[in-house]
Amino acid sequence: MGVGFVVGVLGCAILVHAAYSTIQYRGVLKIVEEEFSGPPMNVVAELLLGLALCMWAGLAVPTKFLSILPDSEENRIVSLPANLDFMIFNHRGKVLPTNTELKLKVQDF
Amino acid sequence: MAVLEDGTEKRSGENGDDMPIFNAENLQSNMKSIYYSRTFLSIIGGVVAGIWGFTGLMGFVFYFLIMATASLGFAAKAKFSIHKYFDCWNRILVDGFLGGLMSFVLFWTFAYDIVHIF
């Protein structure tokens, strides 16, 4: 997550810088009273660089692909999970006396 | 349809049918990863299109270019052995292609306004 994040932030910073350069370029064009046909070459290069960095970050940062084949190395099922049918509780309740003939005694207070 | 009771849901086929078995949980995780990537790249593509000054059809062409490059990127990320991570090619090539279009147009107009109008 670390490197991809930094690359993404760097790409965005480059894009912001390109936006600022374009705003200034337009300001200059207004003074000279020319038409805006496209950003200057260096801004275009900056845009493409920023785009490339952000694209790399956009592909690298989200979680990597997990294999979906059931017989690949990381998908080996080793244990049965929480399924009540297979849970065995080994507790001391088994030594308590069980007398199914016990009845509740009615007590007079 | 037989479902194995061992935690990871597996989709399997009936007897006689030859359907592939795969781990659906991991497939969903992979699809989510692709969705996040496409959304992020739509936004970034929108900002770049706005700064560059695209208007009209050129912008949409740019969007399709970005999405096509993204598909290529996903194929590369899966090391070109698609069937290990997805059940068919459509998942990385076609799914979610138009999902980022709205975000793209939003950030495209946003960036264009900031850079070229105000």
Side-chain angles (χ1 to χ4, degrees):
Chain A
M1 178 97 146
V3 176
F5 229 49
V6 170
V7 169
V9 168
L10 189 66
C12 290
I14 291 179
L15 287 182
V16 166
H17 182 262
Y20 191 68
S21 306
T22 313
I23 293 175
Q24 280 193 320
Y25 177 69
R26 286 209 80 146
V28 166
L29 282 187
K30 256 190 226 157
I31 295 174
V32 187
E33 283 182 12
E34 277 176 19
E35 276 276 317
F36 177 82
S37 60
M41 264 295 116
N42 58 334
V43 172
V44 170
E46 246 186 295
L47 280 176
L48 289 176
L49 177 67
L51 183 66
L53 286 179
C54 285
M55 195 164 277
W56 193 87
L59 289 173
V61 166
T63 53
K64 69 186 226 35
F65 289 156
L66 302 168
S67 170
I68 64 170
L69 299 172
D71 50 353
S72 71
E73 269 311 304
E74 60 265 16
N75 279 353
R76 298 239 104 135
I77 312 295
V78 180
S79 60
L80 294 169
N83 183 348
L84 279 175
D85 290 340
F86 296 103
M87 279 187 183
I88 300 170
F89 294 106
N90 193 12
H91 54 77
R92 290 176 283 185
K94 66 185 175 192
V95 299
L96 289 176
T98 54
N99 189 346
T100 47
E101 301 301 312
L102 277 178
K103 286 186 208 149
L104 281 174
K105 280 191 224 163
V106 178
Q107 288 184 340
D108 296 318
F109 285 106
Chain B
M1 186 166 109
V3 172
L4 295 171
E5 291 266 12
D6 50 7
T8 57
E9 275 280 323
K10 290 190 176 132
R11 281 181 43 203
S12 63
E14 288 114 31
N15 291 336
D17 240 302
D18 194 26
M19 270 177 66
I21 300 177
F22 52 82
N23 185 341
E25 190 182 306
N26 282 359
L27 177 71
Q28 234 182 3
S29 156
N30 295 347
M31 299 295 294
K32 251 203 303 198
S33 168
I34 286 193
Y35 175 71
Y36 292 153
S37 294
R38 282 209 195 267
T39 310
F40 177 70
L41 285 177
S42 305
I43 292 175
I44 295 291
V47 170
V48 169
I51 297 175
W52 203 319
F54 290 140
T55 50
L57 198 57
M58 245 334 265
F60 292 102
V61 168
F62 187 68
Y63 174 73
F64 283 114
L65 262 173
I66 296 271
M67 285 294 119
T69 315
S71 294
L72 199 66
F74 297 137
K77 189 177 177 183
K79 301 185 201 55
F80 293 104
S81 54
I82 302 295
H83 292 288
K84 197 170 165 209
Y85 301 105
F86 298 95
D87 53 346
C88 64
W89 274 94
N90 280 354
R91 296 252 183 252
I92 58 164
L93 290 181
V94 175
D95 253 5
F97 209 77
L98 295 178
L101 190 62
M102 292 294 159
S103 307
F104 173 82
V105 171
L106 174 68
F107 280 88
W108 177 19
T109 48
F110 192 53
Y112 188 89
D113 287 348
I114 288 184
V115 172
H116 298 278
I117 298 185
F118 294 116

